[in-house]
Amino acid sequence: MGSDPDPGEPNDPDNNNSDNNDNASEPCIKDNPILALMNAITLLSHATRCRPKDSGAACTKVHEPNTFDGTDPKKLHEFLVQCELNFHNRPQAFCLDMWKVSFALSFLKGIAFTWFKPDLLDIIPGTEPTWADDYSEFIIELTTNFSPHDPVSDAECQLNNLLMKDSS
């Protein structure tokens, strides 16, 4: 019949289908599973990153926690709340418990830090403390050792020791 190529054929000069105009020297993702995997990983990493600053989305500014030294047990609750605010503000930065533990540990000092230091320095593989990668366990360890032991009794004692200032 005729030697004219069918429309839609790869060799048809009138075919404007972009799939057929790919440069022959560039590998096709569809034909190469390694390139497809690399492309999927790249797309996934872009999807999980924080939004760029120029995206127009409002970002909140959360203060880092005040350091906690363990000398005033009443300050522990405030310290933990400040840590939680940071975790909620940057969930992707704190998606693993061990990152939360490291963050909180970095704001400990004094006797509170000294309590955890031996476990941080003397880690033998397989003997890591349970709190090292479990934030709930870390909170239990911290509150067991540094929170008010009897908050009701402490409050009663403070109320009993209140003095009225003489206004005359």
Side-chain angles (χ1 to χ4, degrees), residues 95-113:
C95 60
L96 296 178
D97 273 7
M98 73 170 46
W99 296 347
K100 291 178 181 181
V101 171
S102 294
F103 178 82
L105 281 170
S106 71
F107 289 95
L108 297 180
K109 65 178 187 177
I111 60 171
F113 182 72

Side-chain angles (χ1 to χ4, degrees), residues 72-115:
D72 186 356
K74 293 176 277 184
K75 291 184 179 179
L76 179 58
H77 181 72
E78 179 183 341
F79 171 76
L80 294 174
V81 169
Q82 289 172 332
C83 286
E84 286 296 327
L85 286 171
N86 277 273
F87 302 154
H88 289 285
N89 190 51
R90 297 184 297 153
Q92 291 175 334
F94 299 109
C95 60
L96 296 178
D97 273 7
M98 73 170 46
W99 296 347
K100 291 178 181 181
V101 171
S102 294
F103 178 82
L105 281 170
S106 71
F107 289 95
L108 297 180
K109 65 178 187 177
I111 60 171
F113 182 72
T114 302
W115 179 263

Side-chain angles (χ1 to χ4, degrees), residues 2-164:
S3 63
D4 291 342
D6 291 336
E9 287 290 320
N11 296 330
D12 183 1
D14 295 329
N15 182 6
N16 291 327
N17 188 344
S18 62
D19 287 342
N20 299 325
N21 290 334
D22 289 340
N23 188 345
S25 65
E26 293 179 7
C28 180
I29 290 177
K30 293 180 219 170
D31 299 333
N32 188 331
I34 301 295
L35 287 176
L37 178 61
M38 287 173 44
N39 187 46
I41 291 170
T42 301
L43 291 173
L44 182 61
S45 71
H46 288 297
T48 59
R49 285 190 193 139
C50 292
R51 286 179 289 218
K53 290 183 180 182
D54 60 76
S55 70
C59 289
T60 56
K61 173 76 172 146
V62 176
H63 291 282
E64 292 181 338
N66 297 327
T67 56
F68 177 72
D69 65 7
T71 58
D72 186 356
K74 293 176 277 184
K75 291 184 179 179
L76 179 58
H77 181 72
E78 179 183 341
F79 171 76
L80 294 174
V81 169
Q82 289 172 332
C83 286
E84 286 296 327
L85 286 171
N86 277 273
F87 302 154
H88 289 285
N89 190 51
R90 297 184 297 153
Q92 291 175 334
F94 299 109
C95 60
L96 296 178
D97 273 7
M98 73 170 46
W99 296 347
K100 291 178 181 181
V101 171
S102 294
F103 178 82
L105 281 170
S106 71
F107 289 95
L108 297 180
K109 65 178 187 177
I111 60 171
F113 182 72
T114 302
W115 179 263
F116 291 97
K117 190 163 59 169
D119 287 331
L120 294 171
L121 296 176
D122 298 327
I123 294 182
I124 298 169
T127 64
E128 295 85 8
T130 56
W131 56 260
D133 60 358
D134 186 335
Y135 186 68
S136 297
E137 289 292 325
F138 173 76
I139 295 300
I140 291 170
E141 185 79 14
L142 191 60
T143 56
T144 299
N145 293 289
F146 298 103
S147 67
H149 293 290
D150 187 359
V152 173
S153 179
D154 288 348
E156 287 174 353
C157 183
Q158 288 176 347
L159 286 172
N160 289 334
N161 291 323
L162 283 177
L163 297 174
M164 296 284 287

